[in-house]
Amino acid sequence: RKAIKIAPNLREPYVEFGMLEFDQYNYGNAIYLLEYALTIKKDSPNNVNEIFAWNDKIYILLSKAYSYTNRLEQALNYIEEAIKINPDNEESQNLKIALETLKNYT
């Protein structure tokens, strides 16, 4: 929270806090933080940039968080975004298959 307060224009603190909330099963908070991070479109010109804040990681976490809160349509939308960014990621491919299977059974 302190990092967000100090640098609210950076994506990294929101992503790191979102990852922490996700790891602690606070999926609603993780969704809020990660979706807010996605609203920050420009990376910082300094050395603070972390690759996980700009690659497919956010989309994978959002997909998982939405799936854990039984919102499969949003989960599928985010995993498809992750696949667009990194089509070779097996985790994303497997998650998409699992989500599609689950959606077909509900």
Side-chain angles (χ1 to χ4, degrees):
R1 289 182 183 153
K2 188 174 183 179
I4 290 171
K5 196 172 194 174
I6 292 169
N9 59 323
L10 297 181
R11 187 184 269 198
E12 286 78 3
Y14 294 97
V15 176
E16 288 182 310
F17 194 14
M19 291 166 59
L20 176 65
E21 290 292 295
F22 181 88
D23 288 343
Q24 295 187 3
Y25 311 105
N26 297 323
Y27 302 122
N29 290 346
I31 289 168
Y32 173 80
L33 290 159
L34 295 169
E35 284 188 337
Y36 188 84
L38 289 176
T39 68
I40 300 170
K41 304 291 186 193
K42 291 179 68 178
D43 59 349
S44 171
N46 61 32
N47 294 334
V48 177
N49 300 323
E50 296 286 349
I51 190 69
F52 62 80
W54 300 97
N55 64 11
D56 57 339
K57 179 74 172 177
I58 295 174
Y59 297 97
I60 294 168
L61 286 173
L62 279 165
S63 180
K64 288 179 179 181
Y66 272 115
S67 71
Y68 294 152
T69 58
N70 296 315
R71 294 180 274 180
L72 297 179
E73 197 63 43
Q74 292 96 326
L76 277 165
N77 289 339
Y78 278 114
I79 204 60
E80 287 171 2
E81 289 298 317
I83 291 168
K84 285 179 192 174
I85 294 168
N86 186 0
D88 297 325
N89 186 328
E90 278 189 50
E91 178 185 15
S92 297
Q93 296 291 344
N94 292 336
L95 183 55
K96 182 178 180 184
I97 292 167
L99 290 169
E100 287 173 339
T101 302
L102 188 58
K103 185 178 179 189
N104 290 333
Y105 285 106
T106 57

